[in-house]
């Protein structure tokens, strides 16, 4: 862990989306130095599955040694942003650091992304970042510290990161383009940088998307907080950078990254937008539509592929079905499998005692999952976690994500038999 130095004592840090998760972690790290934290977020009452409000965050910040100003801010509302900036300047005398952390996400393809969700992502991610930066810049220009930090990825133009969630990528890259433009526009006055995690970070929002199992394959929010703190210590001349958390902490002398793991020793889910080996990945994308493999997983040779394994898996699943499983699940799953023994298969956990088979289901599928036959067998046998397959692009899901998570729980029950 990166130690605090007291560098941010008395500094005012304006953070969007600071009521929980990464935003709150950055706030608490700065608070330990005695910083003033403006919590610009919209949560005033706890969400059933997303704990934390601007008021509970304020209590934690003050307990950590900082001063807190909770402000109700939906970054889509320019007036709410302006009001919060005015309150911050009135209470603390200025703004030294802005962290654009607020973000909306939907990892869905073009036809599966409703216009309302597209608008949300564009307005929160790109427009919200732009407007919040615009409101804070006049005060940042007066600061000796003067940093803007956007939680956004490097501008990676590998088509892989566009084809599966085009709208989200456009909205998130909009935040990164703000870095590119504003760093140049305010060079010498304000440092403007982007920060992105190398691996999945465990937050309540990530758990909602990926299920509880993903926790074991994530790092803690502390790694982002430490990386952000490292950036804030740098001079204004450190600008226009797209920083990966692990890389900057290595420069700080951090060698043991197990301290940031939720479960040290477990494999880590790589975050999206990062190509560890760009050239081979690009070639794979062009020729096979493939995606980077998870670290530590060996590519299969043809000799290892098992003929009829999919059919055998479905047979075991069918023999294991009970009325209770069908009653508890109430969903129809369709599998589009590529490769040997592939094609369209279904798992009906809605009608009577359940059914499986080759071809399309008689009822409309609630969830459609697309993957290779080999990954399908690995998932049902427990060798590949569905959350890891989904986040790495090996598994594509259309339909009801909550029902997809129910299927993952069923897989866990069946693994002893597979």
């Amino acid at each position: 862990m990166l130690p605090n130095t007291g560098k941010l004592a008395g500094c005012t840090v304006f953070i969007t989306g600071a009521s929980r998760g990464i935003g709150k972690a950055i706030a608490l790290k700065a608070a330990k130095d005695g910083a003033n934290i403006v919590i610009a977020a919209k949560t005033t009452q706890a969400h059933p599955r997303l704990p934390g409000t601007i008021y509970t965050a304020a209590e934690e910040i003050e307990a950590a040694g900082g001063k807190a100003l909770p402000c109700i801010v939906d970054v889509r509302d320019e007036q709410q942003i302006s009001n919060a900036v005015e309150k911050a300047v009135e209470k603390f005398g200025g703004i030294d650091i802005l962290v654009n952390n607020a973000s909306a996400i939907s990892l869905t393809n073009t036809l599966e992304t409703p216009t309302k969700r597209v608008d949300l992502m564009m307005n929160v991610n790109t427009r919200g970042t732009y407007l919040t930066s615009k409101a804070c810049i006049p005060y940042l220009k007066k600061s000796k510290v003067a940093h803007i930090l956007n939680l956004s990825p490097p501008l990676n133009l590998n088509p892989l990161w566009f084809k599966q969630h085009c709208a989200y990528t456009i909205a998130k890259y909009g935040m990164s383009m703000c870095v590119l433009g504003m760093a140049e526009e305010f060079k010498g006055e304000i440092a403007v940088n982007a920060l992105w995690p190398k691996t999945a970070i465990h937050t309540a929002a990530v758990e909602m998307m990926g299920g509880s199992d993903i926790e074991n394959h994530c790092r803690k929010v502390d790694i982002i907080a430490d990386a952000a703190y490292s950036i804030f210590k740098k001079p204004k001349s450190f600008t226009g950078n797209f920083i990966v958390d692990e890389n900057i902490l290595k420069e700080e002398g951090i060698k043991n990254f197990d301290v940031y793991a939720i479960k040290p020793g477990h494999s880590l889910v790589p975050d999206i937008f990062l190509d560890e080996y760009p050239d081979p990945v690009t070639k794979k994308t062009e020729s096979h539509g493939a995606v980077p493999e998870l670290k530590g997983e060996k590519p299969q040779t043809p000799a290892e592929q098992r003929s009829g394994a999919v059919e055998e898996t479905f047979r075991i699943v069918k023999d294991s079905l009970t009325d209770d499983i069908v009653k508890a699940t109430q969903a129809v799953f369709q599998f589009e499998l590529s490769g040997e023994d592939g094609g369209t298969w279904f798992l009906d956990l809605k009608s009577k005692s359940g059914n499986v088979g080759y071809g399309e289901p008689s009822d409309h599928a609630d969830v459609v999952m697309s993957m290779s036959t080999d990954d399908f067998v690995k998932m049902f046998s427990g060798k590949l976690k569905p959350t890891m397959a989904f986040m790495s692009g090996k598994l594509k899901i259309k339909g009801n994500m909550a029902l997809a998570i129910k299927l993952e729980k069923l897989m866990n029950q069946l693994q002893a038999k597979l």
Side-chain angles (χ1 to χ4, degrees):
M1 296 277 185
L2 192 68
N4 280 68
T5 63
K7 172 92 174 178
L8 302 184
C11 287
T12 298
V13 187
F14 191 107
I15 309 176
T16 65
S19 60
R20 62 175 71 94
I22 288 171
K24 189 179 78 171
I26 294 172
L28 291 171
K29 182 72 177 179
K32 289 176 184 176
D33 270 6
N36 309 315
I37 311 295
V38 183
I39 308 157
K42 62 180 184 175
T43 307
T44 56
Q45 293 185 331
H47 186 282
R49 295 176 65 188
L50 294 172
T53 69
I54 58 174
Y55 306 114
T56 57
E59 290 172 3
E60 290 182 55
I61 286 162
E62 295 194 341
K67 293 179 181 176
L69 175 62
C71 296
I72 302 171
V73 177
D74 182 334
V75 294
R76 294 173 292 179
D77 188 324
E78 188 173 12
Q79 191 57 56
Q80 288 187 16
I81 295 168
S82 297
N83 292 345
V85 169
E86 286 176 15
K87 287 179 184 176
V89 172
E90 183 181 339
K91 179 162 184 172
F92 298 126
I95 295 172
D96 299 291
I97 296 169
L98 165 63
V99 179
N100 286 306
N101 167 69
S103 192
I105 184 171
S106 181
L107 296 176
T108 47
N109 64 32
T110 301
L111 298 180
E112 297 294 326
T113 310
T115 302
K116 186 176 179 181
R117 177 62 61 171
V118 175
D119 290 342
L120 175 68
M121 290 190 286
M122 300 298 175
N123 289 334
V124 172
N125 300 0
T126 301
R127 184 174 179 271
T129 293
Y130 184 90
L131 292 179
T132 308
S133 300
K134 183 181 177 182
C136 290
I137 282 168
Y139 302 101
L140 290 166
K141 289 172 80 170
K142 298 175 185 177
S143 170
K144 291 180 181 179
V145 179
H147 272 271
I148 295 176
L149 181 64
N150 295 352
L151 272 296
S152 64
L155 288 165
N156 183 350
L157 297 183
N158 185 340
L160 172 70
W161 305 120
F162 289 82
K163 79 178 229 185
Q164 294 171 2
H165 37 72
C166 188
Y168 175 65
T169 299
I170 292 169
K172 207 65 187 170
Y173 279 18
M175 296 176 70
S176 299
M177 292 172 79
C178 286
V179 170
L180 203 62
M182 292 179 188
E184 196 65 26
E185 184 177 358
F186 301 105
K187 187 177 285 186
E189 297 179 288
I190 305 169
V192 187
N193 296 289
L195 175 62
W196 195 246
K198 184 174 181 178
T199 72
I201 302 296
H202 183 249
T203 63
V206 166
E207 191 165 304
M208 275 185 70
M209 287 193 303
S212 58
D213 179 69
I214 197 170
E215 178 181 359
N216 294 337
H217 304 279
C218 293
R219 281 176 171 164
K220 303 170 188 174
V221 290
D222 299 349
I223 191 168
I224 293 288
D226 281 2
Y229 186 81
S230 175
I231 294 165
F232 300 152
K233 294 191 299 176
K234 295 186 179 294
K236 295 178 186 180
S237 57
F238 183 81
T239 191
N241 300 289
F242 294 90
I243 300 145
V244 174
D245 56 358
E246 185 175 302
N247 295 347
I248 196 166
L249 291 175
K250 282 180 179 176
E251 291 175 11
E252 289 276 1
I254 302 292
K255 294 179 180 178
N256 178 19
F257 286 88
D258 281 348
V259 295
Y260 295 113
I262 297 288
K263 291 279 186 179
H266 280 56
S267 59
L268 295 168
V269 176
D271 208 347
I272 57 177
F273 302 124
L274 300 180
D275 294 346
E276 201 157 52
Y277 308 103
D279 293 337
V281 167
T282 303
K283 285 177 185 175
K284 281 186 181 180
T285 303
E286 290 169 355
S287 59
H288 307 296
V291 297
E293 296 194 54
L294 289 175
K295 192 172 183 181
E297 189 173 326
K298 296 178 182 177
Q300 275 210 325
T301 61
E304 291 174 299
Q305 293 176 358
R306 293 164 290 176
S307 177
V310 172
E311 186 174 1
E312 176 65 12
T313 299
F314 275 112
R315 184 193 66 75
I316 295 170
V317 170
K318 185 175 182 179
D319 291 345
S320 304
L321 295 182
T322 65
D323 290 344
D324 288 341
I325 288 174
V326 174
K327 188 176 179 180
T329 311
Q330 286 297 291
V332 176
F333 302 92
Q334 183 173 320
F335 301 89
E336 296 295 338
L337 306 180
S338 60
E340 188 179 348
D341 200 23
T344 300
W345 297 74
F346 71 88
L347 172 57
D348 182 348
L349 297 178
K350 187 179 280 186
S351 57
K352 299 180 181 178
S353 298
N355 195 18
V356 304
Y358 184 80
E360 294 188 3
S362 55
D363 289 339
H364 173 74
D366 298 291
V367 181
V368 179
M369 296 184 170
S370 303
M371 72 200 87
S372 71
T373 53
D374 187 60
D375 286 336
F376 171 83
V377 173
K378 283 183 180 179
M379 275 193 354
F380 270 84
S381 62
K383 294 177 182 175
L384 175 63
K385 297 294 183 184
T387 48
M388 295 174 73
F390 176 70
M391 292 192 72
S392 64
K394 291 185 174 186
L395 166 64
K396 296 176 187 175
I397 300 175
K398 295 180 183 177
N400 190 316
M401 188 64 74
L403 292 175
I405 291 170
K406 274 191 175 183
L407 180 62
E408 180 173 358
K409 292 178 180 176
L410 175 61
M411 288 180 195
N412 292 337
Q413 295 172 19
L414 293 174
Q415 277 163 18
K417 301 179 181 179
L418 288 163

